[in-house]
Amino acid sequence: MEINFRINGGTRRAVLLTIGLVFAAMVTVAAPAAAEVVVDRIAAIVNNDIILQSEVDKAMAPYIKNIKERGLPEQTEETMLNRAHEDIFNNLISEKLVTQKAAELGIIADEKEVNAALEQMRTSKLYSDEAFQSFLKESGYTMDEYRDQIKSQILKTKLLRLEIKSKTVVTPEEVETYFQNSRDEFTAGTQYHLRHIIMQAPKGANPEDKAAVREKMEEVHRKIEEGAPFESMAEQYSQSSFASSGGDIGTFAENDLAADLKETIIRTGEGKITPVMETDVGYQIFYVQSIIKNDGSLNNEVAEKIHEKLYNEKLDEKFSAWIKELRDSADIKSFE
């Protein structure tokens, strides 16, 4: 028999602390007829909200599966699992803080907004009801859980717009300064800002092993086509040293690309991904993040790309600082 429970975020802190201590002390108990009672415990208390261990485990599951499938040395595997756990645990805490701040400021996401976002996603992916149910199952979500995810994203977007985006400004002078200090990035010609995911078959792999790696890569490709963020998929699945930065391998002049890769990248276009490509270093997928066409001067297109780069850098810095402020002022108790 499995006992499932959830406590509303509004429960008083004193009650939560008592529950936290009780659950921390609980163990699996032998019941009559050799049945077991499985108890879900509290992993953390964030102000007046709780994070259950089951939530941490669910978020960790795909990372554990991917890391263990790589056949890494034991110490390397343990290091990667610990790092993934720390990142996910901190992200769950940050999500709670963002939700709490949205509630404090009276920011809401009503059912109409959630329905509209859900319908937009289904329409853009051409999901039938059956295909959508398959997507939810593969993603490990129930419909209610997926709607909660959409609602959280809407709240986060509104909150960021209010708290951070509206206060983030990039001046023309900053764009000019960046251009003058980085002119080598903007020599005449077309340049491509690329990200990639790479998977390698073991050395000396037989055709069946190679086919299995290719099949896994095709699955990753399909998930990206269905809307999974490329950066997240790179972090989870890529065996490249650039995986931790979302597969970002930088900007390349058209003439610096290998002939077969250049042809594919040109055909792919901005904001799109290539098919799975078999290369000398393994199976790869490339994402064309942006295309910069310039004559070596600070034209409108180059200025726009620089502005976007500087804006995103500032946004990341401000968001990190903002989250740190929320964490510093929050009452966070971990039972990990």
Coordinates of all heavy atoms in Angstrom, one line a residue, residues 141-183:
Y141 N 4.3 13.1 -17.3 CA 3.4 14.1 -16.7 C 2.0 13.5 -16.8 O 1.6 12.9 -17.8 CB 3.4 15.4 -17.4 CG 4.6 16.3 -17.1 CD1 5.6 16.5 -18.1 CD2 4.8 16.9 -15.9 CE1 6.7 17.2 -17.9 CE2 6.0 17.6 -15.6 CZ 6.9 17.8 -16.6 OH 8.0 18.6 -16.4
T142 N 1.1 13.8 -15.8 CA -0.3 13.7 -16.0 C -0.8 15.1 -16.6 O 0.0 16.1 -16.6 CB -1.0 13.5 -14.6 OG1 -0.8 14.7 -13.8 CG2 -0.5 12.3 -13.9
M143 N -2.0 15.1 -17.1 CA -2.5 16.4 -17.6 C -2.5 17.5 -16.6 O -2.1 18.6 -16.9 CB -3.9 16.2 -18.2 CG -4.6 17.5 -18.6 SD -3.7 18.3 -20.0 CE -4.3 17.3 -21.4
D144 N -2.9 17.2 -15.4 CA -2.9 18.2 -14.3 C -1.5 18.8 -14.0 O -1.3 20.0 -13.9 CB -3.5 17.7 -13.0 CG -5.0 17.5 -13.1 OD1 -5.6 18.2 -14.0 OD2 -5.6 16.8 -12.3
E145 N -0.5 17.8 -14.0 CA 0.9 18.2 -13.8 C 1.4 19.1 -14.9 O 2.1 20.1 -14.7 CB 1.7 17.0 -13.6 CG 1.5 16.3 -12.3 CD 2.2 14.9 -12.2 OE1 2.5 14.4 -13.3 OE2 2.5 14.5 -11.1
Y146 N 1.0 18.7 -16.1 CA 1.5 19.5 -17.3 C 0.9 20.9 -17.3 O 1.6 21.9 -17.6 CB 1.2 18.8 -18.6 CG 1.9 19.4 -19.8 CD1 3.3 19.2 -19.9 CD2 1.2 20.1 -20.8 CE1 4.0 19.7 -21.0 CE2 1.9 20.6 -21.9 CZ 3.3 20.4 -22.0 OH 4.0 21.0 -23.0
R147 N -0.4 21.0 -16.9 CA -1.0 22.3 -16.8 C -0.3 23.1 -15.7 O -0.2 24.4 -15.9 CB -2.5 22.1 -16.5 CG -3.3 21.6 -17.7 CD -4.8 21.4 -17.3 NE -5.4 22.7 -17.1 CZ -5.9 23.5 -18.0 NH1 -5.9 23.1 -19.3 NH2 -6.5 24.7 -17.7
D148 N 0.0 22.5 -14.6 CA 0.8 23.2 -13.6 C 2.1 23.8 -14.1 O 2.5 24.9 -13.8 CB 1.0 22.3 -12.4 CG -0.2 22.1 -11.6 OD1 -1.2 22.8 -11.7 OD2 -0.3 21.1 -10.8
Q149 N 2.8 23.0 -15.0 CA 4.0 23.4 -15.5 C 3.8 24.7 -16.4 O 4.6 25.6 -16.4 CB 4.7 22.3 -16.4 CG 5.3 21.2 -15.6 CD 6.5 21.6 -14.9 OE1 7.4 22.3 -15.4 NE2 6.6 21.2 -13.6
I150 N 2.8 24.6 -17.2 CA 2.4 25.8 -18.1 C 2.1 27.0 -17.3 O 2.6 28.1 -17.6 CB 1.3 25.4 -19.0 CG1 1.7 24.3 -20.1 CG2 0.8 26.7 -19.8 CD1 0.5 23.9 -20.9
K151 N 1.3 26.8 -16.2 CA 1.0 27.9 -15.3 C 2.2 28.5 -14.7 O 2.3 29.8 -14.6 CB 0.0 27.4 -14.3 CG -0.5 28.5 -13.4 CD -1.6 28.0 -12.4 CE -2.2 29.1 -11.5 NZ -3.2 28.5 -10.6
S152 N 3.1 27.7 -14.3 CA 4.4 28.2 -13.7 C 5.2 29.0 -14.7 O 5.8 30.0 -14.3 CB 5.2 27.0 -13.2 OG 4.6 26.3 -12.1
Q153 N 5.2 28.5 -15.9 CA 6.0 29.3 -16.9 C 5.3 30.6 -17.2 O 6.0 31.6 -17.4 CB 6.1 28.5 -18.2 CG 7.0 27.3 -18.1 CD 8.4 27.7 -17.8 OE1 9.0 28.7 -18.4 NE2 9.1 27.0 -16.9
I154 N 4.0 30.7 -17.3 CA 3.3 32.0 -17.5 C 3.6 32.9 -16.3 O 3.9 34.1 -16.6 CB 1.8 31.7 -17.6 CG1 1.5 30.9 -18.9 CG2 1.0 33.1 -17.7 CD1 0.0 30.5 -19.0
L155 N 3.5 32.4 -15.1 CA 3.8 33.3 -13.9 C 5.3 33.8 -14.0 O 5.5 35.0 -13.7 CB 3.6 32.5 -12.7 CG 2.2 32.2 -12.3 CD1 2.1 31.3 -11.0 CD2 1.4 33.4 -12.0
K156 N 6.2 32.9 -14.3 CA 7.6 33.3 -14.4 C 7.8 34.4 -15.4 O 8.5 35.3 -15.2 CB 8.5 32.1 -14.7 CG 10.0 32.4 -14.7 CD 10.8 31.1 -14.9 CE 12.3 31.4 -14.9 NZ 13.1 30.2 -15.2
T157 N 7.2 34.2 -16.6 CA 7.3 35.2 -17.7 C 6.8 36.5 -17.3 O 7.5 37.6 -17.5 CB 6.6 34.7 -19.0 OG1 7.2 33.5 -19.4 CG2 6.7 35.7 -20.1
K158 N 5.6 36.6 -16.6 CA 5.1 37.8 -16.2 C 5.9 38.5 -15.1 O 6.1 39.7 -15.1 CB 3.7 37.6 -15.6 CG 2.6 37.2 -16.7 CD 1.2 37.1 -16.0 CE 0.1 36.9 -17.0 NZ -1.2 36.8 -16.4
L159 N 6.4 37.6 -14.2 CA 7.3 38.1 -13.1 C 8.6 38.7 -13.6 O 9.0 39.8 -13.2 CB 7.5 37.0 -12.1 CG 8.3 37.4 -10.8 CD1 7.5 38.5 -10.1 CD2 8.4 36.2 -9.9
L160 N 9.2 38.0 -14.6 CA 10.5 38.5 -15.1 C 10.3 39.8 -15.9 O 11.1 40.7 -15.8 CB 11.1 37.4 -16.1 CG 11.6 36.2 -15.4 CD1 12.2 35.2 -16.5 CD2 12.6 36.5 -14.4
R161 N 9.1 39.9 -16.6 CA 8.8 41.1 -17.3 C 8.7 42.3 -16.4 O 9.2 43.4 -16.6 CB 7.6 40.9 -18.1 CG 7.3 42.1 -19.1 CD 6.0 41.9 -19.8 NE 6.0 40.7 -20.6 CZ 5.1 39.7 -20.5 NH1 4.1 39.8 -19.6 NH2 5.1 38.6 -21.2
L162 N 8.1 42.1 -15.2 CA 7.8 43.1 -14.2 C 9.1 43.5 -13.5 O 9.5 44.6 -13.3 CB 6.7 42.7 -13.3 CG 6.4 43.7 -12.1 CD1 5.9 45.0 -12.7 CD2 5.5 43.0 -11.1
E163 N 9.8 42.4 -13.0 CA 10.9 42.6 -12.0 C 12.2 42.9 -12.7 O 13.1 43.5 -12.1 CB 11.0 41.4 -11.1 CG 9.9 41.3 -10.1 CD 10.0 42.3 -9.0 OE1 10.9 42.2 -8.2 OE2 9.1 43.2 -8.9
I164 N 12.4 42.3 -13.9 CA 13.8 42.3 -14.4 C 13.8 42.9 -15.8 O 14.5 43.8 -16.1 CB 14.4 40.9 -14.5 CG1 14.4 40.3 -13.0 CG2 15.8 40.8 -15.1 CD1 14.9 38.8 -13.0
K165 N 13.0 42.3 -16.8 CA 13.1 42.7 -18.2 C 12.9 44.2 -18.3 O 13.6 44.9 -19.1 CB 12.1 41.9 -19.0 CG 12.6 40.5 -19.2 CD 11.6 39.8 -20.2 CE 12.1 38.4 -20.5 NZ 11.2 37.7 -21.4
S166 N 11.9 44.8 -17.6 CA 11.6 46.2 -17.8 C 12.7 47.1 -17.2 O 12.7 48.3 -17.6 CB 10.3 46.5 -17.0 OG 10.4 46.2 -15.6
K167 N 13.6 46.5 -16.4 CA 14.7 47.3 -15.9 C 16.0 47.0 -16.5 O 17.0 47.5 -16.1 CB 14.8 47.0 -14.4 CG 13.5 47.3 -13.6 CD 13.5 46.8 -12.2 CE 12.2 46.9 -11.5 NZ 12.2 46.3 -10.1
T168 N 16.0 46.2 -17.6 CA 17.2 45.8 -18.3 C 17.3 46.6 -19.6 O 16.5 46.5 -20.5 CB 17.2 44.3 -18.6 OG1 17.1 43.6 -17.4 CG2 18.6 43.9 -19.2
V169 N 18.4 47.4 -19.7 CA 18.5 48.3 -20.9 C 19.9 48.1 -21.4 O 20.9 48.1 -20.7 CB 18.3 49.8 -20.5 CG1 18.5 50.7 -21.7 CG2 16.9 50.0 -19.9
V170 N 20.0 48.1 -22.8 CA 21.3 48.1 -23.5 C 21.3 49.3 -24.3 O 20.5 49.6 -25.1 CB 21.5 46.8 -24.4 CG1 22.8 46.9 -25.2 CG2 21.4 45.6 -23.5
T171 N 22.3 50.2 -24.1 CA 22.4 51.5 -24.8 C 23.1 51.4 -26.1 O 23.9 50.4 -26.3 CB 23.1 52.5 -23.9 OG1 24.5 52.1 -23.8 CG2 22.5 52.6 -22.5
P172 N 22.9 52.3 -27.0 CA 23.6 52.3 -28.3 C 25.1 52.4 -28.1 O 25.9 51.8 -28.9 CB 23.1 53.5 -29.0 CG 21.7 53.7 -28.4 CD 21.8 53.3 -27.0
E173 N 25.5 53.1 -27.0 CA 26.9 53.2 -26.7 C 27.6 51.9 -26.4 O 28.7 51.6 -26.7 CB 27.2 54.2 -25.6 CG 26.8 55.7 -25.9 CD 25.3 55.9 -26.0 OE1 24.6 55.2 -25.4 OE2 25.0 57.0 -26.7
E174 N 26.8 51.1 -25.6 CA 27.3 49.7 -25.3 C 27.4 48.8 -26.5 O 28.4 48.1 -26.6 CB 26.4 49.1 -24.2 CG 26.4 49.7 -22.9 CD 25.4 49.1 -21.9 OE1 24.2 49.1 -22.3 OE2 25.8 48.7 -20.8
V175 N 26.5 48.9 -27.4 CA 26.6 48.2 -28.7 C 27.8 48.6 -29.5 O 28.6 47.8 -30.0 CB 25.3 48.4 -29.5 CG1 25.4 47.7 -30.9 CG2 24.1 47.8 -28.8
E176 N 28.0 49.9 -29.6 CA 29.2 50.4 -30.3 C 30.5 50.0 -29.7 O 31.4 49.5 -30.4 CB 29.1 52.0 -30.3 CG 30.3 52.7 -30.9 CD 30.5 52.4 -32.4 OE1 29.4 52.3 -33.1 OE2 31.6 52.4 -32.9
T177 N 30.6 50.0 -28.4 CA 31.8 49.6 -27.7 C 32.1 48.2 -27.9 O 33.2 47.8 -28.2 CB 31.6 49.9 -26.2 OG1 31.5 51.3 -26.0 CG2 32.9 49.4 -25.4
Y178 N 31.0 47.3 -27.8 CA 31.2 45.9 -28.0 C 31.7 45.6 -29.5 O 32.6 44.8 -29.7 CB 29.9 45.1 -27.8 CG 30.1 43.6 -27.9 CD1 30.4 42.8 -26.9 CD2 29.9 43.0 -29.2 CE1 30.6 41.5 -27.0 CE2 30.1 41.6 -29.3 CZ 30.4 40.9 -28.2 OH 30.6 39.5 -28.4
F179 N 31.1 46.3 -30.4 CA 31.5 46.2 -31.8 C 33.0 46.5 -32.0 O 33.7 45.8 -32.7 CB 30.6 47.0 -32.7 CG 31.0 46.9 -34.2 CD1 30.7 45.8 -34.9 CD2 31.7 48.0 -34.8 CE1 31.1 45.8 -36.3 CE2 32.1 47.9 -36.1 CZ 31.8 46.8 -36.9
Q180 N 33.4 47.7 -31.5 CA 34.8 48.1 -31.7 C 35.8 47.2 -31.0 O 36.9 47.0 -31.5 CB 34.9 49.6 -31.1 CG 34.1 50.6 -31.8 CD 34.5 50.7 -33.3 OE1 35.6 50.4 -33.7 NE2 33.6 51.3 -34.1
N181 N 35.4 46.6 -29.9 CA 36.3 45.7 -29.2 C 36.3 44.3 -29.7 O 37.1 43.4 -29.3 CB 35.9 45.6 -27.7 CG 36.2 47.0 -27.0 OD1 37.0 47.8 -27.4 ND2 35.5 47.2 -25.9
S182 N 35.3 44.0 -30.6 CA 35.2 42.6 -31.1 C 35.0 42.6 -32.6 O 34.2 41.8 -33.1 CB 34.0 41.9 -30.4 OG 34.0 42.1 -29.0
R183 N 35.7 43.4 -33.3 CA 35.6 43.6 -34.7 C 35.9 42.3 -35.5 O 35.3 42.0 -36.5 CB 36.5 44.7 -35.3 CG 36.1 46.1 -34.8 CD 36.9 47.2 -35.5 NE 36.4 47.3 -36.9 CZ 35.5 48.2 -37.3 NH1 35.0 49.0 -36.5 NH2 35.2 48.3 -38.6

